[in-house]
Every structure is written in C-alpha cells, then in structure tokens.
Amino acid sequence: MQEMSSRATTEEPSTGLQTGWNGRVIGYVAILMLVNVMVDTVVTAPSFIIAQLKDAFQTTHFAWLDMSAMLAGAMWSPLLGKAADIHGKRRILVFTLLVAALGGIVCLIAPNLAVFVLGRALQGAAVASLFLTVALIRDVCASRFAMVVTGVVTSGSAAFGIVTPFVLQIATAAFGWRFVFVVAAGFAAVGALCVRLAIPNSAVRTPGRLDVAGALVLGGGLAGVLMYISLGQDLGWLGILPLAVLAAGVVALLVWFLVLSRAPEPVIDIRAITPTLGLGFLVVTMGTGAYRSMLSLFGLLVDVAPEDGLGYGIAGPAALGLMFGVPSFGITLGGILAGAVATRVGPAWPLAAGLVTGTTAALVMFVAGSGNLAIAAVCSFMLSLTAGSMVTSGFNLASLLTSPEKQGTISSVVMVMIAIGSVMMSFIGTAILNSTDMVVGGETVNSSLGVHTYIAVGGCAFVLAAIPMTLLIRRMRRSGVTGGPAVRG
C-alpha cells in the first residue's frame, strides 16, 4: 500500500527507544502530563467561569471568551509543528509554554475584552504543546508502546480535572475569575522549566526552512472564515464588515492552497496527506468539535436552575463539580483504553467507538437531559470518554501513517483539525442561542428551543462523522495495515 509510510509497515529499530515502563519513562510521562494539565487549564477552565466573564466584559460572545485560545491554536500549530521538526521538539515546546505563560498574565490584567482576547491568543500557543508532547513521545518510545504512552499523556492529565472544578468553584468565589489565569500562567512557567531540565532533546531532525509567510496566510485565512461566523450573528450575515472578513479569509486560503502550499517546503505539505489520513482528520474535526461545543453548553446549563421554568438548566449543589469534575475520569479512561486497544486492532476502531459513545450521549441529552442533573452528568461522562478516545486515536492514527521525520508537522495538523472543529461548532452554537433567546423579567436568557437545537446540532455532527469513519475503516482493512501486532517497536 503506497500511501502507508515505512513506519507503519516495517519493524522499527529498537536501539535507543523505550519499549516498556521504567523509571525514566514514568518521569517523562509525569512531566508531559504536567504540560497537558496546563493545556487543559487554558482550554477548559474558562468554561467554568463563562457567566463571570460575560459580566466582566459586558459581552454576549461567550464563544470568543471560551474558544479564542483554540482559534489562535489553529493559527499557531502549523508553524510550530514545522519548527519542531527543524529545530527540535523540546526547544519549541519550551517556547510555546513561555508564550502561554505570558498570555495568562495578559488575561489576568486585561482591562477590556480586546486585551483579554489578545491574551487568549497568546495562550493559544499552549494548544500546540499538546501535539508537541505526542511528537516527543514518538522520539523516545517504540511505535507500539508509544500508542499506549500517547493515551496516558494526552488524557491522563484530565484526572486532575476531577478536583479542578471543585477547587476553582471555591477559589473563584473567594478571589474572582482572574484566579483561573494565575493558575494557567503558573502551570506554564513550571512546565517550561521541567521540560528544559528533564526531557531529552529531539534526536530526529528535518533539515529545511520555516515558511513563515505561508503560516501567516494560512492562519489568517482560517481566522477570517471563523470570525465571519461570529460577526455575522450581530452585524448580519450580509453586512459589509462580516462579508469583507469572510472574503479576506477565503482569498487567503485560496492563495495558500493554490500558491504557497506548492512551495518546496510549505508549512503543511498537503500532498503528503493521503486519503486515509484525510478521512481520519475529518472524523477528528467533527467529533471533537461536537464534544467541545457541548462542554461550552454545560457551562451555561449549570448557571440555570430547573425551577426557573426555562425548560432547561441543571443548577444545584455540586452541579459544576459533577459536570466538569467527575467526567474528567472519562477522558483519562477513554484515552488510556484507546491507546491500549490500538496496539491490538489499530487506532481506527477506538476512534469509531468514541464516535458511537458521543452520538449516544447527545441523543440521551436531547431526549431526557433537561433539568435532570444525574442524566446530564452521565451524558457528560460519556462525552468525556469520546474526547479521550478520539484525541488519542487521532494522534495515533496520524503517527502510524507518517514517517518519523515528519511527526511534528503531521501532529500539528491533527491539532489544527481539533481546533477548527472546536471553534466552528462553538461559534455555530453561539449563533443558535443568540438567535433564539428571549426576555424574562427584563433579562435576556437562552430559550429551551435554542438549547435543544444546540444539542441536536452537536448530535448531527457525530452522526455525519460516521460517514468518513466508515470509509476510513474500509481503507484500513483493505491496506492490511492496522497498527496492531503488525507494528512492532
């Protein structure tokens, strides 16, 4: 099968690569998990304080407050991925952590929404840290063992999320919403120090140059298209400014695709993305986007009590902890299981299992989740299983189909797909809620129609993702390359 890399079809030399658990590997994993705890804090923690942020900055655009870091991450990732392959993954990881720390400080002192979004954009560098930890794993672990370690590193950090909401609920009540960004900046700084002192430098390098212009054009194009979705909600879908932003984004993407992507060393070599890999990217984009949008919605549901009579809402004692804390165990469990299963049957099947779990959770939430905290918590747990499984499987699939010298670049593409899906679905959800809100007692609130439509759209994204998922499994079967026992480290 021509489209499969030699990494996926030949036995990998074991010299210098870790093939099992030992003290050194456990130390690496602990540090890389600390890095991903910081990533989780940057990406997820604002969901806990959406209501406070909306009040602090007097805005209805909660998607910008929550997802601006993911949007910036989509822009950062291609450049940082290519830089990691050229200059070394450890060096670039330390750089991203320091930039993320700076972003946390900017958010902490932000006097207005514009400065806050700038800080979130800097924090978006943390999003790149996730795929760099995966790429580093591939440098130190043999391929089969690396699948298991990837599951632990990408999702094991979520175990800290079991207690994080409870702690943040108490801390933000005492110190305000800014406490979240103190924690994020602190984690980033400590993570940078630990990585620099303890993680070995990358042994695999790819000679070349950075296509900075291509990265800026690609990132700007993505930002323009996604900004249109947000601006169109208030300024009108046919307004001059939104259409100008959309046009600029589309033109930038076309210029990158038609001209810059064909350069000798593009920031992302789309010619190297095989049909099989492309199908995997599509599944990850749709699945993780649906999960992230639901997580943002939960942040609003826990702020409304069932007795308010709005037809939705699950506020109550420990609601925040149940919706964001206990399900963190699901992310850890989903990721670790996905990595372990992938060593036997390949990453495509745990990816499919995550999709089925997410679809089921969205259906149950739509039918029976309104006003029922217990059912909503179960659905949140199932969606967390989906998140852990899909993220881990997405990285494992990309690594399986990619040569060692391109691990940083291709892992960055996975992160771009995750970011695009997350941002797109969250902005669509915001548009749905804003277009269906109502006034109760002189206050504008979300309607039951809007909330249920939001859930239905997320469920449809899961269902539609089943189409490329089916095609992906068929292609993997025909190729005879699964990533299971045939791939030995």
Side-chain angles (χ1 to χ4, degrees):
M1 184 71 179
Q2 290 182 340
E3 70 176 86
M4 300 297 168
S5 71
S6 59
R7 181 182 180 86
T9 57
T10 61
E11 184 171 348
E12 190 176 37
S14 59
T15 304
L17 295 177
Q18 304 292 329
T19 59
W21 293 103
N22 55 48
R24 179 174 296 179
V25 172
I26 292 173
Y28 295 159
V29 168
I31 292 173
L32 296 179
M33 281 179 61
L34 173 65
V35 171
N36 287 333
V37 168
M38 182 274 300
V39 177
D40 290 343
T41 303
V42 167
V43 174
T44 305
S47 299
F48 307 152
I49 54 172
I50 283 293
Q52 295 95 310
L53 291 175
K54 288 172 63 179
D55 292 339
F57 295 109
Q58 297 296 304
T59 180
T60 60
H61 294 293
F62 75 87
W64 278 110
L65 298 171
D66 187 25
M67 298 306 301
S68 49
M70 287 297 287
L71 173 60
M75 299 170 63
W76 277 99
S77 292
L79 184 62
L80 294 174
K82 184 72 172 180
D85 284 336
I86 295 174
H87 299 294
K89 302 175 183 67
R90 185 186 69 178
R91 178 182 297 177
I92 302 303
L93 177 56
V94 171
F95 170 77
T96 64
L97 292 170
L98 293 176
V99 173
L102 175 62
I105 295 173
V106 172
C107 290
L108 176 65
I109 63 176
N112 53 53
L113 180 61
V115 175
F116 180 84
V117 172
L118 172 62
R120 292 291 284 161
L122 292 173
Q123 281 192 304
V127 175
S129 299
L130 175 60
F131 76 76
L132 289 173
T133 62
V134 173
L136 277 169
I137 290 168
R138 298 288 165 169
D139 276 359
V140 299
C141 295
S143 60
R144 187 174 181 182
F145 179 52
M147 290 187 181
V148 178
V149 179
T150 296
V152 175
V153 169
T154 57
S155 59
S157 58
F160 290 89
I162 296 175
V163 298
T164 297
F166 297 99
V167 173
L168 289 180
Q169 190 171 23
I170 297 172
T172 54
F175 304 108
W177 59 266
R178 287 182 170 82
F179 180 82
V180 169
F181 299 98
V182 173
V183 174
F187 267 130
V190 172
L193 179 62
C194 292
V195 169
R196 179 62 183 83
L197 295 178
I199 301 296
N201 210 357
S202 305
V204 180
R205 301 287 182 90
T206 303
R209 67 177 185 85
L210 282 178
D211 181 16
V212 177
L216 293 176
V217 172
L218 175 59
L222 292 172
V225 173
L226 295 173
M227 284 176 65
Y228 169 74
I229 298 174
S230 178
L231 292 174
Q233 299 169 35
D234 284 342
L235 303 182
W237 301 107
L238 299 180
I240 295 177
L241 179 59
L243 286 177
V245 171
L246 175 63
V250 171
V251 169
L253 290 176
L254 288 175
V255 169
W256 181 81
F257 179 76
L258 297 175
V259 181
L260 299 178
S261 71
R262 304 176 190 277
E265 296 183 44
V267 65
I268 295 179
D269 188 359
I270 58 176
R271 294 163 293 189
I273 299 177
T274 64
T276 301
L277 195 53
L279 289 170
F281 287 157
L282 185 57
V283 174
V284 170
T285 302
M286 299 172 73
T288 55
Y291 162 73
R292 279 293 305 164
S293 68
M294 294 288 283
L295 183 63
S296 296
L297 178 65
F298 289 148
L300 298 176
L301 295 183
V302 297
D303 200 42
V304 176
E307 54 268 23
D308 290 343
L310 296 175
Y312 68 94
I314 51 177
L320 183 64
L322 284 172
M323 295 303 294
F324 291 102
V326 175
S328 295
F329 176 71
I331 297 178
T332 304
L333 181 62
I336 293 175
L337 286 177
V341 171
T343 64
R344 297 187 175 277
V345 300
W349 284 109
L351 186 65
L355 200 60
V356 172
T357 304
T359 304
T360 304
L363 177 61
V364 174
M365 190 68 190
F366 180 82
V367 173
S370 296
N372 192 316
L373 178 58
I375 292 178
V378 171
C379 291
S380 182
F381 175 78
M382 294 174 67
L383 287 165
S384 298
L385 284 174
T386 296
S389 177
M390 297 197 75
V391 171
T392 296
S393 299
F395 280 118
N396 278 336
L397 180 69
S399 297
L400 177 70
L401 303 178
T402 306
S403 56
E405 66 273 10
K406 295 181 179 179
Q407 289 295 312
T409 299
I410 206 66
S411 293
S412 76
V413 179
V414 177
M415 201 66 247
V416 170
M417 296 298 104
I418 292 174
I420 289 176
S422 300
V423 172
M424 183 75 75
M425 290 298 296
S426 290
F427 281 150
I428 290 174
T430 304
I432 291 172
L433 293 179
N434 288 344
S435 64
T436 56
D437 57 21
M438 59 185 185
V439 178
V440 177
E443 182 181 358
T444 300
V445 296
N446 297 318
S447 67
S448 178
L449 173 63
V451 170
H452 284 84
T453 302
Y454 189 122
I455 297 171
V457 169
C460 287
F462 281 127
V463 172
L464 291 175
I467 299 174
M469 186 72 250
T470 302
L471 296 175
L472 172 63
I473 290 177
R474 288 179 178 177
R475 292 189 71 90
M476 296 291 283
R477 278 179 167 177
R478 285 201 302 266
S479 72
V481 180
T482 64
V487 179
R488 297 183 293 273

